[in-house]
Amino acid sequence: MSTHDQHGSGRTGTRSRRLRLLTAAGATATLLASGVAATPAVSAAEDDKVLTVAVAQSVDSLSPFLAVRLLSTSIHRLTYEYLTNYDPEDNHAVPGFATEWKSSPDKLTWTYTIRSDSKWSDGRQATAEDAAWTFNKMMTDDGAATANGSFVTNFAEVTAPSPTQLVIRLKKPQATMTALDVPIVPRHVWEKVGDLSKFNNDKDFPIVGNGPFVLTDYKPDSYVRLKANKDFWRGAPKFDELVFRYYKDQDAAVAALRKGEVSFVSGSPSLTPAQADSLQDEENIHVNDAPGRRFYALATNPGARAKDGTKLGDGHPSLLDQRVRHALFMAVDREAIVDKVFQGHAVEGEGYIPPRFPQYFFEPSADQRLAYDPAAAARLLDEAGYRTNADGKRLGKDGKPLNYRVLCHATEPNDKAVGKYLEEWWGELGISITLNCLDNVTDPWLAGEYDLAFDGWSVNPDPDFVLSIHTCATLPATSKETGATDNFICDKTYDELYARQLAEYDSAKRADLVKQMQSRLYDLGYMNVMAYPNAVEAYRTDQIESITTMPSAAGNIYGQDGYWSWWSAVPAESGDSSGGSSSTGAVIGIAAGAVVLVGLGVFFLARRRATADDRE
C-alpha cells in the first residue's frame, strides 16, 4: 500500500465518521498544545533495551482496517504478518505469513501455504482461517474495506481448506497476488468487534498480533509503545522495546537526539537540509541520506465530484482547462526547488513513480515534457483566453483577477518554502495565490474546497495502490461519503490502462502499462510532481550499533516496506540504548508543550499515505 505520508493511503468510509475521528484528535492536540494535559510517564522494565524513535506524525487509527497514515501502517507492519513481505535487498517477494504460493494455469486461483510456526501473542495458533476471515470481512463489510479494500475487489472467493492452506479465487487475473499489503488479524479477537468503521483498536492492551513486536500501550499525541515478540517465527528483535514518540517541533526532536533522549529522528517525513547538516559532525550521530520512495507534488482540483455526479467544493473553474494546468506547471522551476528548497537532497520530479523503482520510472519525451518556460506558459494562458489587464493581472472568464488557494501543511517547512516561490513565479504570469497553511488540511481536501494542494505519497515496490487512487472507482459514492480518491481524478483512458496493468503478469509488459498510466497523468496535468525527496534521517550510534536500510545498499530506515529496520536493529553495547532513560526505568514522554503530535498536518488520505507518504 502506498502511503500518503507527510501529506497521507486511504480507502472508503463515510465523511462524517472521518471528520469525527479527526475532530477528536484535533481537540486532544489543542489540549496538549495549551498545556492543559501533560504526557504521562511510561516505564520500561529494568535493564530493558529501548529504541525510541522521534516522529512528526500522528496515528489515525490502530485498526488495520482503518489506518492509512505512514506511522500507523508502519506499526501494523510490526504487529501483524502479511501473506508476503519484500526482500530488503531488491524488493522481491519473500515469505511472510505464507511460506510459498502458486497459481492455477489460468491465474484465477491462488493457493498459499500458511506457516505452522506462527502464534498469536495470546498463545493461540495463527492459521489460514485467520487470513480467510480477514479477506472475507473486507469483501463483505464496507468498514473493513476502508484502508485496503482495493486489494479484494477482484476476489470471487476466499477459503481455508486446512489450517495451513489458503485459497483465493479471482474474478479475473490480478498481478498483485504476491504483494497483498494487508495485515492478517486474529479471527478469534476481531470477530467480536461490532462496527469496524468505528473501532480504533486503542482501548485494550496488549493488542493481539503475530509480528515481531506486540503493541502494549498508546497515548494519543504522545507515544506508541511496543515490546519485542520473543516468539516471533523469524526470531525476536534485539531491542526489548520500541517507542514512537511524537514531536510537533522538528527542531525539538533533533535536540532530543543530540541529548540522547531519543535514538532516531525521521523528520516530517525527512530532516530539513539545515538539520541534517547540523548533525553531520556530531559525535555518536549518523545521518542517513538515501534515495527516497516518495514524491512531492502539486495536486490540482479537477472539478471534485462524487460518483453520482454531485459536484463537491469550489475549485476554480479555470483549472478545468488543461492549458491552464500546463501553464502553471511550466512556470514552476523544479531545478530551483531541488537546489534551493531541498538543497540537493532530492531529485527533480518527472513521473508519478520515484526513480528508486527503475522498472516503473517514467520520463516524458522531449515533445511531451513541461519544461520550465515562463514565456511559453504566458502564451498558453493567452491562448486559453486568460489575458492580463493594464495592471498586469491575469483575468478569469468572470473578469476578476485570478487568485488560487493553495492548501499547505502548517507543519511542513517545504510547503511554505515552495509556496513563496510559487507566489513569485506565478506572480510573473499575473496570477496571485493564497497559501492556506493548516494543521488539518483533511477537511477542505475531502470537501473539494481547494484550488491546488501540496501532495506527497510513499510508493511501494508494487505501485498498484498509488495508481488505484486516481481511478473513477475511488470517487466517493455520494457527496456525504468519502472515497479512496487522492484528488478526485476520473479519466476513462487512465482507468482502462489501470485495469490492463492489474491483469498483466508479464513484468515487462506491466511496467510499460504503468509508464503509460503515468504518461496519461502527466498529460492531464492534475498531478504535477515537482521532486523526489531523499530519505534524510539520523540515529545515535552509541544506542544503535547497526540497522538495516531498504534497499540494503542505500535506502531508508523509517517507513520501510516491511519491518526490517526495527526488527534488525542491534543495541550498542557501550552507552545507554534506552533513549536517554536510566537503567531503573525509561521515562518516555516529556512536557506537553514540547511534545505535540503533528497529526492533522498529515493529509488523511495517506492514507498510508504516508505519503505519508506514506500508506506505507
Side-chain angles (χ1 to χ4, degrees):
M1 57 204 160
S2 290
T3 305
H4 208 179
D5 41 39
Q6 129 224 30
H7 303 307
S9 86
R11 309 293 181 170
T12 56
T14 64
R15 176 175 289 123
S16 60
R17 174 173 62 79
R18 290 296 186 200
L19 297 187
R20 283 198 303 272
L21 291 173
L22 291 167
T23 301
T28 304
T30 301
L31 286 172
L32 284 170
S34 65
V36 174
T39 303
V42 181
S43 296
E46 186 175 354
D47 298 328
D48 273 0
K49 296 292 185 179
V50 182
L51 197 168
T52 305
V53 178
V55 294
Q57 188 183 52
S58 65
V59 168
D60 53 337
S61 177
L62 290 180
S63 165
F65 294 112
L66 302 180
V68 293
R69 291 187 184 149
L70 179 62
L71 174 64
S72 308
T73 56
S74 296
I75 290 169
H76 289 139
R77 283 276 185 189
L78 298 169
T79 53
Y80 300 99
E81 274 283 35
Y82 296 40
L83 286 182
T84 60
N85 210 327
Y86 299 102
D87 186 272
E89 183 174 352
D90 60 8
N91 294 324
H92 75 270
V94 295
F97 194 40
T99 60
E100 58 184 6
W101 45 88
K102 61 181 180 180
S103 68
S104 60
D106 63 4
K107 305 293 186 181
L108 293 178
T109 301
W110 285 75
T111 303
Y112 301 83
T113 301
I114 301 302
R115 64 176 58 258
S116 58
D117 56 352
S118 177
K119 289 185 179 295
W120 297 112
S121 53
D122 62 1
R124 303 233 344 216
Q125 181 70 36
T127 70
E129 181 57 37
D130 295 302
W133 186 89
T134 299
F135 289 122
N136 277 301
K137 196 66 176 176
M138 292 166 58
M139 293 163 61
T140 58
D141 185 325
D142 288 342
T146 299
N148 298 307
S150 68
F151 286 112
V152 301
T153 54
N154 184 43
F155 286 11
E157 183 184 42
V158 182
T159 59
S162 76
T164 59
Q165 187 178 67
L166 177 73
V167 179
I168 300 177
R169 187 168 60 82
L170 304 173
K171 300 171 186 176
K172 55 187 178 182
Q174 180 170 323
T176 61
M177 297 307 289
T178 60
L180 297 173
D181 294 319
V182 176
I184 304 301
V185 303
R187 174 177 181 171
H188 67 280
V189 174
W190 284 85
E191 65 183 356
K192 300 173 184 176
V193 176
D195 187 350
L196 285 174
S197 70
K198 298 179 181 179
F199 181 71
N200 282 311
N201 198 31
D202 58 1
K203 302 301 180 187
D204 298 319
F205 298 94
I207 290 174
V208 178
N210 63 340
F213 288 89
V214 178
L215 210 168
T216 58
D217 198 9
Y218 165 62
K219 183 70 175 178
D221 304 349
S222 183
Y223 62 85
V224 179
R225 182 182 179 191
L226 305 98
K227 298 191 73 170
N229 181 358
K230 303 299 184 181
D231 297 321
F232 184 53
W233 67 269
R234 199 185 288 275
K238 311 300 187 300
F239 276 90
D240 300 295
E241 293 191 354
L242 173 63
V243 177
F244 293 97
R245 185 192 290 178
Y246 308 99
Y247 287 81
K248 181 176 182 178
D249 185 336
Q250 190 163 304
D251 286 332
V254 171
L257 182 75
R258 283 195 175 94
K259 297 174 185 176
E261 294 173 349
V262 299
S263 312
F264 179 97
V265 172
S266 63
S268 61
S270 293
L271 298 177
T272 66
Q275 289 167 341
D277 291 345
S278 73
L279 293 172
Q280 287 287 359
D281 297 325
E282 288 278 341
E283 185 179 4
N284 297 324
I285 291 179
H286 173 74
V287 176
N288 184 51
D289 187 348
R293 52 186 285 240
R294 296 179 48 243
F295 65 77
Y296 182 67
L298 268 177
T300 304
N301 191 327
R305 64 179 178 85
K307 288 180 185 176
D308 63 6
T310 304
K311 293 183 180 179
L312 300 173
D314 53 3
H316 200 289
S318 65
L319 296 174
L320 300 180
D321 191 322
Q322 184 184 49
R323 294 169 294 183
V324 174
R325 300 193 298 271
H326 281 187
L328 292 176
F329 198 44
M330 291 168 68
V332 172
D333 188 344
R334 285 165 283 172
E335 183 178 352
I337 289 175
V338 169
D339 291 343
K340 296 179 180 180
V341 176
F342 291 99
Q343 296 182 27
H345 298 273
V347 177
E348 188 174 330
E350 297 281 4
Y352 200 58
I353 309 297
R356 170 163 159 175
F357 306 106
Q359 70 273 39
Y360 298 120
F361 180 59
F362 161 78
E363 295 182 90
S365 65
D367 293 338
Q368 182 184 24
R369 187 181 303 276
L370 299 173
Y372 178 58
D373 190 339
R379 290 194 297 270
L380 258 185
L381 290 170
D382 289 340
E383 177 187 316
Y386 297 93
R387 298 183 177 274
T388 55
N389 62 12
D391 296 325
K393 300 295 185 182
R394 188 79 54 174
L395 302 180
K397 297 298 176 67
D398 58 2
K400 297 179 181 179
L402 291 180
N403 179 279
Y404 294 131
R405 301 159 301 160
V406 181
L407 270 181
C408 163
H409 302 80
T411 55
E412 176 47 54
N414 291 331
D415 285 6
K416 298 174 185 177
V418 174
K420 293 297 183 183
Y421 281 109
L422 294 181
E423 289 179 344
E424 174 187 340
W425 294 330
W426 292 354
E428 293 174 357
L429 295 176
I431 297 172
S432 60
I433 69 171
T434 300
L435 277 178
N436 191 14
C437 294
L438 306 172
D439 283 337
N440 174 15
V441 302
T442 300
D443 292 1
W445 199 313
L446 293 180
E449 295 171 352
Y450 64 98
D451 298 324
L452 298 106
F454 290 103
D455 198 3
W457 284 78
S458 289
V459 179
N460 285 351
D462 189 293
D464 177 74
F465 175 80
V466 81
L467 297 172
S468 75
I469 56 178
H470 295 309
T471 60
C472 298
T474 60
L475 293 176
T478 69
S479 60
K480 296 182 179 180
E481 297 184 43
T482 298
T485 182
D486 176 41
N487 194 44
F488 298 97
I489 295 173
C490 178
D491 176 70
K492 182 178 179 181
T493 299
Y494 181 88
D495 276 15
E496 291 172 347
L497 289 168
Y498 175 77
R500 288 174 60 192
Q501 69 82 28
L502 183 60
E504 181 56 70
Y505 284 99
D506 184 286
S507 58
K509 292 180 180 179
R510 185 181 181 220
D512 181 66
L513 288 167
V514 169
K515 291 177 183 178
Q516 290 182 50
M517 294 175 69
Q518 295 177 79
S519 178
R520 181 63 178 173
L521 279 180
Y522 190 92
D523 289 342
L524 287 172
Y526 291 122
M527 185 65 62
N528 295 314
V529 177
M530 295 180 289
Y532 308 110
N534 286 5
V536 186
E537 49 204 358
Y539 66 88
R540 294 198 62 90
T541 55
D542 57 350
Q543 295 182 18
I544 302 174
E545 180 179 305
S546 63
I547 193 167
T548 298
T549 62
M550 185 175 186
S552 53
N556 59 294
I557 295 171
Y558 176 72
Q560 292 183 358
D561 300 294
Y563 43 65
W564 309 111
S565 55
W566 313 125
W567 171 76
S568 71
V570 176
E573 290 304 319
S574 61
D576 179 13
S577 61
S578 58
S581 65
S582 69
S583 61
T584 58
V587 178
I588 309 302
I590 62 177
V595 185
V596 179
L597 155 73
V598 76
L600 302 182
V602 179
F603 172 38
F604 164 68
L605 277 177
R607 318 165 170 149
R608 285 180 200 204
R609 226 157 44 311
T611 213
D613 212 124
D614 241 182
R615 291 182 27 135
E616 305 205 331

